[in-house]
Amino acid sequence: MKIKKLFCIFCVLFAALPIFAAKFEHTIYTVDLKTLFKNEAATTNKEQINIIFALTNIQGLANRQKPQLYLFAAKNLTHTAYKGVYPNLPKYYDRFYYIDKFWFNWFEEKGYIDAKNVKELNSLEEIFTVFADKYKGFILWEKKNPALLNVCASIAAADDMVAFSQDIDNGVLAKKLAPFAKKTVYADSFGIKASEKSYNSQKLAAYLYLKENYLDKGRLNPFCFSYLPDAYCYVNMQGGYGKNNYDGSYTYKFQNNGHFNFDYAIAKKSVIVDLAPSGGYVPVSDPAQKKGGDFAMWNKLLQSSYDLRKGKFGIVDGFVPWWLKYSKYGGDNEPAVGSECSFIELITSYNMANDADAALGLSNASFFMHMPKPDKNRFITKPENYKKALPENGVMYLCFFMLDYDGSAWLNQCALTVFGQKRGIVPLNWSINPALADRVPHAFEYMLDNKTNLDFFGIADDGAAYISLETLFGKNKVGTVKSDSFNEYFEFAKKYYQSQSISITPMYISRNFSEDWLCRLAHLNPDGMGVPVSATIGGNAGFSTVVDNVALAYLHTYHL
């Protein structure tokens, strides 16, 4: 393969085609979370969060086969951030603040939902009566081991149960739901005890129980993990960035901490985890464990998943909760970016990619996943003669790629705010990770419906889901798997690229590239690809090149 110098230009133009619209004829139930809290006299954060634990659990069960239960819960936190920077933000954007209500109304406008089939549920009694056939009983856990939130939620997903705390709210919810219990299983009955095998940690003993009794036995989905904070932040009433306390009322921090996300994990029978992604310290949230215990348990869970998947790629949704733990913000001696890199390198080592929610939160993904995905032909809009365009001598060309859309929670909100009112003036290339269509297909549909003739799609972000490209090679892996996995990633990525007719990836994130590696990536990107300006190819730096007749550019990136 020859690599030669070239000043490359990416030119992409787009047009839209109609798509078949699905319509759901069955009854769809809605719950307004703020109204529910009021009707249940749930005035404290601990009462409210326990309701969220139970509610998102039953929502995931209800929506597993078809969309039936929708929550009005989340707010558009990107709107909040913009208002802080631009106090005079046009009123146009205010309609996106109550984001769940906006999307539900849009589904009605699209014809997916018929308003006559929508019914409100306003109490726990109504919710657990309507969906009584979706669950077999309750699993109750104690706050003394906050990890049991995630472990019991995973077990509940496998066994069609509803899990919540028996004491985080002093038993208020357990008493209210007692008439609907059918049967009650107490987590104490699992016999979870700290031992040498669990690195002297009750937390890790719980995850070991989950691994041996559920993941290893095929009762959970090895292709789906969810990295979501456990109950530690509520037991200790810890707020964002390790300092802000909860104020005793309904706040966006439930969303920010990822606890609206549990419905999707339940629906997909995910392995729900909250473990430190590196072994260099003892987490302040679990001081009893031996150093490296969390990291060792991550490896055990991922190895089991890898074996069950036979090496095929899966996806971890969620993200390192760096604003709460596993970084300096939560009291651990680790930079936030370093914790992120450790996490991505770890999961890539076991052929898992990340749908990187970070701290914005996503409600209703178990509902959204049933919405129709845009047909791949809607992304095919390049003019026939685009490859004949040639640069003029002495002219500098600017091409704007709108990047960092590698998390469903981000896209669900930014599709309404960043993709805003002033588009159509400057050509913008919307670079979106195609794997996000698994959880938020409607966001793609909305953007395609509302694009201008200067909004361009069919472009990936940093590949198919967030990975560490360098860690695809066995010599760079940090876990127990040491075989190369580029072929497995290529097959995984190809499926997503074909689903959206993607032909460009503007920014593959890596420090070093090999020629063979870039050659494989070129097959996914016939119209061009980019790498960081600091990257090297075979140890040599350059400005721009061609790889197997595919344009390759070294690009600067800017966070604006």
Side-chain angles (χ1 to χ4, degrees), residues 386-387 502-504 521-528 549-551:
Y386 77 100
K387 287 191 176 181
I502 289 171
S503 60
I504 293 176
L521 293 174
H523 290 291
L524 290 174
N525 299 283
D527 291 325
N549 294 317
V550 171

Side-chain angles (χ1 to χ4, degrees), residues 277-424:
S278 63
Y281 57 91
V282 175
V284 296
S285 55
D286 189 29
Q289 73 171 251
K290 288 185 176 180
K291 183 179 178 181
D294 267 28
F295 183 69
M297 190 57 64
W298 251 124
N299 278 271
K300 289 178 183 294
L301 292 166
L302 289 169
Q303 179 69 65
S304 178
S305 167
Y306 178 90
D307 292 342
L308 290 164
R309 286 181 278 113
K310 301 186 186 314
K312 293 182 178 180
F313 259 79
I315 292 182
V316 181
D317 63 77
F319 203 65
V320 183
W322 55 265
W323 59 99
L324 295 171
K325 54 175 75 170
Y326 314 140
S327 83
K328 63 181 182 179
Y329 293 100
D332 288 315
N333 188 26
E334 183 86 2
V337 174
S339 192
E340 171 183 344
C341 292
S342 294
F343 164 55
I344 298 301
E345 290 169 359
L346 173 63
I347 64 171
T348 305
S349 295
Y350 291 95
N351 293 5
M352 296 287 276
N354 182 220
D355 178 348
D357 274 347
L360 286 183
L362 175 65
S363 52
N364 294 305
S366 65
F367 192 99
F368 295 152
M369 69 182 187
H370 295 288
M371 297 298 109
K373 296 180 179 180
D375 187 273
K376 65 180 181 180
N377 291 321
R378 294 193 72 187
F379 299 91
I380 304 174
T381 53
K382 296 181 288 294
E384 293 182 3
N385 65 344
Y386 77 100
K387 287 191 176 181
K388 297 180 180 180
L390 296 174
E392 296 182 32
N393 290 331
V395 177
M396 177 177 286
Y397 294 86
L398 296 178
C399 183
F400 294 98
F401 288 100
M402 307 300 286
L403 292 163
D404 214 19
Y405 295 101
D406 57 2
S408 291
W410 290 83
L411 186 62
N412 189 56
Q413 298 177 41
C414 292
L416 305 176
T417 49
V418 177
F419 194 74
Q421 191 178 25
K422 298 295 185 179
R423 289 173 296 104

Side-chain angles (χ1 to χ4, degrees), residues 170-346:
N170 295 319
V172 172
L173 185 60
K175 184 176 181 181
K176 284 185 177 182
L177 293 181
F180 308 99
K182 298 182 183 179
K183 70 174 181 178
T184 299
V185 176
Y186 292 93
D188 277 352
S189 68
F190 299 153
I192 295 171
K193 294 182 179 179
S195 66
E196 186 71 21
K197 192 177 179 181
S198 67
Y199 310 95
N200 293 338
S201 166
Q202 280 289 103
K203 167 186 175 178
L204 300 180
Y207 282 110
L208 185 62
Y209 177 88
L210 182 68
K211 174 189 177 295
E212 293 177 345
N213 293 280
Y214 283 85
L215 178 57
D216 291 354
K217 295 181 179 180
R219 299 166 73 180
L220 290 168
N221 185 349
F223 287 89
C224 295
F225 275 54
S226 294
Y227 195 178
L228 299 172
D230 62 23
Y232 175 79
C233 57
Y234 301 108
V235 172
N236 295 277
M237 298 314 291
Q238 177 188 5
Y241 300 97
K243 295 186 182 299
N244 303 321
N245 292 322
Y246 290 90
D247 61 10
S249 63
Y250 174 65
T251 81
Y252 71 83
K253 287 173 183 158
F254 295 144
Q255 175 183 342
N256 206 63
N257 290 342
H259 288 112
F260 295 156
N261 295 46
F262 273 69
D263 65 303
Y264 183 80
I266 298 294
K268 301 295 287 187
K269 296 188 179 182
S270 293
V271 181
I272 308 172
V273 297
D274 177 1
L275 296 164
S278 63
Y281 57 91
V282 175
V284 296
S285 55
D286 189 29
Q289 73 171 251
K290 288 185 176 180
K291 183 179 178 181
D294 267 28
F295 183 69
M297 190 57 64
W298 251 124
N299 278 271
K300 289 178 183 294
L301 292 166
L302 289 169
Q303 179 69 65
S304 178
S305 167
Y306 178 90
D307 292 342
L308 290 164
R309 286 181 278 113
K310 301 186 186 314
K312 293 182 178 180
F313 259 79
I315 292 182
V316 181
D317 63 77
F319 203 65
V320 183
W322 55 265
W323 59 99
L324 295 171
K325 54 175 75 170
Y326 314 140
S327 83
K328 63 181 182 179
Y329 293 100
D332 288 315
N333 188 26
E334 183 86 2
V337 174
S339 192
E340 171 183 344
C341 292
S342 294
F343 164 55
I344 298 301
E345 290 169 359
L346 173 63

Side-chain angles (χ1 to χ4, degrees), residues 9-42:
I9 301 171
F10 294 138
C11 297
V12 189
L13 299 177
F14 291 80
L17 297 173
I19 184 173
F20 170 76
K23 186 172 183 178
F24 301 102
E25 302 288 355
H26 58 273
T27 301
I28 290 175
Y29 297 91
T30 64
V31 174
D32 185 294
L33 199 58
K34 200 167 186 178
T35 299
L36 180 65
F37 288 159
K38 180 179 179 181
N39 291 346
E40 297 295 338

Side-chain angles (χ1 to χ4, degrees), residues 546-559:
V546 164
V547 177
D548 276 7
N549 294 317
V550 171
L552 171 68
Y554 288 80
L555 303 174
H556 289 280
T557 60
Y558 301 92
H559 280 244

